Amino acid sequence: MPSPDADNDSRPSDLLARFRNVRSHSVGLAEGLSDADATVQSMDDASPTKWHLAHTSWFFETFLLRDHVPGYAVFNDRYAYLFNSYYEAEGDRHARPERGLLTRPSLGEVLAYRAHVDAAMTEAMTGFMEPQLDLVELGLHHEQQHQELLLTDILHLFSRNPLMPAYSEKRPDISALASSLQWLEGPTGVRSIGHADPSFAFDCEGPRHDVLLHPHALADRPVTNSEWLTFIESGGYRDPVHWLSDGWAWVQNQQIEAPLYWNRATGPEWSEFGLWGNHPLDPYAPVKHISLYEADAYATWAGARLPTEAEWEVAAAQGLPNSGLVWEWTGSAYRPYPGFRPAAGAVGEYNGKFMSGQFVLKGGSIATSPGHMRSSYRNFFYPHQRWQFTGLRLAKDL
């Protein structure tokens, strides 16, 4: 959580400006989507656009307006059941795999809900004290996380449509990794990781603590599609020697043969489906939408390994080239740092209770919201998940 700003008088107005920007950005991401687009859920891990828009509003309504604004009347008392995600302290909730069955409320009604919450927050913000302003800050970063999820979830939904519709015609230029891979020797000895400065960080990013780094090197860029294609053509998905046992079982059971959105819909050569539709595979773009199992297998095949969370963070704090294109898998389990304590109350369920069976990813991606990347950020997913913009950077021992 953030430390109080030195200028407390300016913090409410600064946060209000940010609140307006973040909230409008979410609505902007949904522009061009039909009510049907915003309602359907393509798998249990994904949520409908409509649900993301409503859940982030429920967060502000519940933890700020309901709890700290006398006389506030909730927009609809049944929305708490529909749009709570996993906060046990807030009671029962609609089953996650059935979020796509919520044809009502409509997208228009969800947008009206957002407008109601925005108006109440705008009126209340200037009267909030520091603890409430800290919750506003948390809510804004929480919404930025859902902005990225909104994009990855709509991408997965559209990928299941044989028409392969494009979410956007604005294709980002990330074909910038044509140079041969170079190795960068990493810092060694006792180093510190974890969030340190007064700016915002999630609770799981601290406390700051010392780690011991042994001699190692990191690649100067993520692995590319061209390099991954070589892995495929060499039989990488057919040879169990490269794979963790759980990973090999996953490959066999799911019949995995390529990254998630690679396809041959238009001919014998590989194409890749993205937010901008289906296009021929770009050889110099970073490979993405791969699982921890795939990343680890590739690293083993390449005679390397995945970086540790500490190696990556220390390197990034000093400037790590070509980061922020894809979330980069590390070989580190998502576990608490020494001295970690979750926050009190329901918001304490935000990160700590998920520290089991997941792995840390570092950096950010082309879907990450502006201003939401930092070297201490700890993204985390289960090893089989790959609908996010996940890739890898190689590391090796020296």
Side-chain angles (χ1 to χ4, degrees), residues 252-309:
Q252 298 297 297
N253 292 336
Q254 301 297 319
Q255 299 183 337
I256 305 297
E257 62 175 2
L260 179 57
Y261 296 125
W262 287 27
N263 65 86
R264 292 191 172 100
T266 59
E269 302 299 322
W270 286 107
S271 295
E272 183 177 21
F273 184 75
L275 290 168
W276 43 91
N278 204 46
H279 292 274
L281 189 69
D282 182 346
Y284 300 124
V287 67
K288 51 191 177 294
H289 304 296
I290 59 170
S291 67
L292 179 279
Y293 295 140
E294 291 168 285
D296 186 86
Y298 180 94
T300 300
W301 170 82
R305 61 172 174 81
L306 297 179
T308 68
E309 177 180 15

Side-chain angles (χ1 to χ4, degrees), residues 148 152 324-327 363-369 373 388-390:
E148 182 160 6
T152 55
L325 301 175
V326 288
W327 287 102
S365 80
I366 58 171
T368 305
S369 292
M373 298 184 195
Q388 298 299 305
F389 283 79
T390 50

Side-chain angles (χ1 to χ4, degrees), residues 39 105 141 149 154 159 202 250 297 306-307 313 320 328 339 351:
T39 298
H141 286 266
L149 289 169
I154 200 70
S159 76
F202 291 114
W250 172 78
L306 297 179
E313 184 171 327
L320 188 60
E328 300 177 17
N351 287 305

